Amino acid sequence: MKVEVAYVRGRSLSLSSSLKSMLLSPMDPITPPVSLLDLRFEQMQARLAADGLRPIHARTLWKVLYRELDVAPQLREALSPPLARWLRDHWGGTVNLTTATISEQLRSSDGMTRKLLLRLRDGQEIETVVMGYPGRFTACLSSQAGCAMGCVFCATGQMGFVRHLAPGEIVSQVIAAQRLLRAEGNELRNLVLMGMGEPLHNYDAVMQALDSVCHSPGMCIAPSRVSVSTVGLVPAIIRFTDERRPYSLAVSLHAATDEERSALLPVNQRWPLAELMEACRYHSQRLSRRVFFGWTLIAGRNDSPEHARILVELLRGLDAHINLIRLNATAGFDGSTSADASADAFRNSLKAAGVPCTIRQYRGIDVAAGCGQLRADRLERAR
Ligand code: SAH
Ligand code: SF4
């Protein structure tokens, strides 16, 4: 039986009823209380101006929040009396960065990956992963609590959709990661939206949060160092392109035929490969950009030379880079990751056909670093 489910800003999706429980109910989203981090720079300026403060105060406050990360009490004390009074009157004296607090922190055995479980004000828990590479650090951010897309191998998809994150809750993850790194004398410079949730399903909040952390009086992350990964929400990819968003686009492909992709990613039933690839080509051509494709290797499902051949055909003429990812086992999926030999052969087939391709190392598999796994592990432990 097929059911229609309200989905992605009023669009509807036809899926089998067994998937219904995993999908977004229109009643679900909860709006958490606003924090200062939920405001765009211009909104902060407008609020201050409406209360008679000068534009310079917005710059000062933005710097305290985004550059100094509001860590030292003396920063607050150094604020001018009108600004300190405004904060006290409107925000209870706290700048309130605590839209998210770290409730658990795990470090991988090689010390290079840290996984943070962050508790939000309504008790929801989300994951942020801080990954160290030679000379650089990257934070992997969540965009939603849970996810409505129901990809069969994904721990977040298996838990279903809970709610969208507010912009401030996405910004809070960047601040938590940056504070951790600064305390060690390091600096966060790269962001990927590859944690829990589908970023383009929470488009406005994600774009606002990214604009805020890239804004110049504050953290100044370079937009070219930010990557947004999507399961393939075609209208949102087109919007992202038409709005000329300055962030890289990564598309989770995982299969190159509709039959195989729909079996792994239910969203493919709504936006099949022909539409998805057309949107990717539009993005690449309109913005002269490379599109990054994610391919999670699953033994016997998508890792044969024939799979590689069909993938090469699908990508013909497109400026593309494939990231091959090892499957991380999850409780709700019985597939296993490809053998090293199959993964290498798959990569070599792509390379031989001229498709740039990298096998991504599993960062911190011992800290449950797969998307949604720490939260799932914790629920399991609690049970
Ligand atoms: N929703 C977005 C971003 C979050 S998931 C998306 O799907 O692209 C980030 C990446 O991790 C996606 O490519 C996803 O397919 C992959 N992924 C999810 N669960 C995984 C698992 N158990 N093992 C390996 N990759 C996984
Ligand atoms: Fe959602 Fe991405 Fe997981 Fe699919 S892989 S369920 S889109 S988080």
Side-chain angles (χ1 to χ4, degrees):
M1 195 186 88
K2 297 277 181 183
V3 289
E4 290 286 320
V5 184
Y7 176 75
V8 192
R9 300 188 201 296
R11 287 181 164 276
S12 69
L13 171 67
S14 184
L15 287 175
S16 69
S17 54
S18 61
L19 291 165
K20 190 180 173 190
S21 61
M22 293 181 182
L23 290 170
L24 166 63
S25 141
M27 305 299 291
D28 278 340
I30 302 163
T31 308
V34 78
S35 105
L36 274 178
L37 300 178
D38 285 316
L39 301 181
R40 292 179 174 278
F41 180 70
E42 300 73 29
Q43 290 172 320
M44 188 180 284
Q45 251 179 340
R47 284 210 185 191
L48 287 162
D51 293 328
L53 282 93
R54 286 179 294 127
I56 185 74
H57 287 127
R59 286 183 77 82
T60 307
L61 187 51
W62 195 267
K63 275 191 208 163
V64 169
L65 293 171
Y66 286 87
R67 190 175 296 175
E68 316 298 343
L69 309 179
D70 191 41
V71 278
Q74 57 272 29
L75 283 172
R76 300 264 191 93
E77 286 158 20
L79 292 176
S80 68
L83 188 52
R85 208 165 31 247
W86 183 83
L87 282 173
R88 195 176 55 241
D89 293 349
H90 295 274
W91 301 91
T94 65
V95 181
N96 219 342
L97 282 183
T98 54
T99 50
T101 49
I102 298 177
S103 59
E104 191 165 339
Q105 188 179 156
L106 298 178
R107 193 186 266 265
S108 62
S109 46
D110 64 3
M112 294 303 279
T113 304
R114 258 127 350 139
K115 184 149 200 172
L116 312 179
L117 194 63
L118 299 176
R119 179 180 287 270
L120 308 179
R121 285 182 185 159
D122 62 353
Q124 283 302 318
E125 287 184 315
I126 52 160
E127 300 175 3
T128 305
V129 184
V130 183
M131 298 169 289
Y133 299 90
R136 71 192 160 95
F137 290 88
T138 300
C140 176
L141 310 178
S142 294
S143 54
Q144 299 175 316
C147 183
M149 304 301 147
C151 307
V152 295
F153 51 77
C154 170
T156 310
Q158 289 160 14
M159 74 182 68
F161 178 80
V162 181
R163 71 168 171 86
H164 293 304
L165 299 190
E169 292 171 329
I170 301 167
V171 169
S172 292
Q173 298 173 63
V174 184
I175 289 179
Q178 187 68 287
R179 280 177 169 174
L180 207 71
L181 291 171
R182 288 252 185 101
E184 300 162 353
N186 294 313
E187 187 75 14
L188 176 66
R189 296 202 197 282
N190 301 276
L191 301 176
V192 291
L193 265 291
M194 292 189 187
M196 295 168 71
E198 166 51 43
L200 295 190
H201 185 198
N202 188 16
Y203 189 96
D204 292 325
V206 167
M207 296 306 149
Q208 181 182 324
L210 294 180
D211 291 350
S212 289
V213 296
C214 294
H215 197 257
S216 63
M219 212 182 284
C220 289
I221 302 265
S224 57
R225 292 172 178 263
V226 177
S227 177
V228 176
S229 177
T230 177
V231 70
L233 305 191
V234 166
I237 293 174
I238 292 168
R239 180 178 170 196
F240 183 83
T241 307
D242 289 342
E243 292 177 354
R244 308 187 83 84
R245 295 285 171 181
Y247 314 113
S248 293
L249 179 68
V251 174
S252 298
L253 204 53
H254 310 314
T257 66
D258 280 322
E259 193 185 357
E260 288 176 338
R261 194 164 188 268
S262 293
L264 295 172
L265 315 181
V267 75
N268 192 70
Q269 295 170 40
R270 177 64 186 83
W271 289 292
L273 277 167
E275 287 183 46
L276 176 60
M277 296 315 293
E278 195 184 328
C280 292
R281 284 175 200 282
Y282 176 69
H283 178 82
S284 174
Q285 283 163 11
R286 178 126 198 239
L287 303 183
S288 304
R289 287 206 204 135
R290 172 165 286 191
V291 179
F292 295 82
F293 290 96
W295 189 279
T296 292
L297 289 162
I298 309 171
R301 297 280 292 264
N302 66 359
D303 64 343
S304 70
E306 179 62 5
H307 287 112
R309 192 190 62 74
I310 299 172
L311 173 58
V312 168
E313 280 309 310
L314 189 74
L315 299 177
R316 200 164 288 288
L318 178 61
D319 184 5
H321 183 110
I322 305 278
N323 285 318
L324 298 172
I325 313 157
R326 296 309 189 103
L327 179 76
N328 220 357
T330 53
F333 181 62
D334 62 4
S336 55
T337 195
S338 304
D340 286 349
S342 312
D344 289 345
F346 194 86
R347 180 194 50 199
N348 293 341
S349 304
L350 295 181
K351 287 206 159 159
V355 177
C357 162
T358 317
I359 299 184
R360 293 276 159 217
Q361 285 310 313
Y362 233 113
R363 303 310 309 256
I365 199 158
D366 52 336
V367 290
C371 162
Q373 281 192 282
L374 180 56
R375 184 183 141 146
D377 278 8
R378 184 154 147 132
L379 289 175
E380 190 56 36
R381 274 180 273 145
R383 268 202 287 276

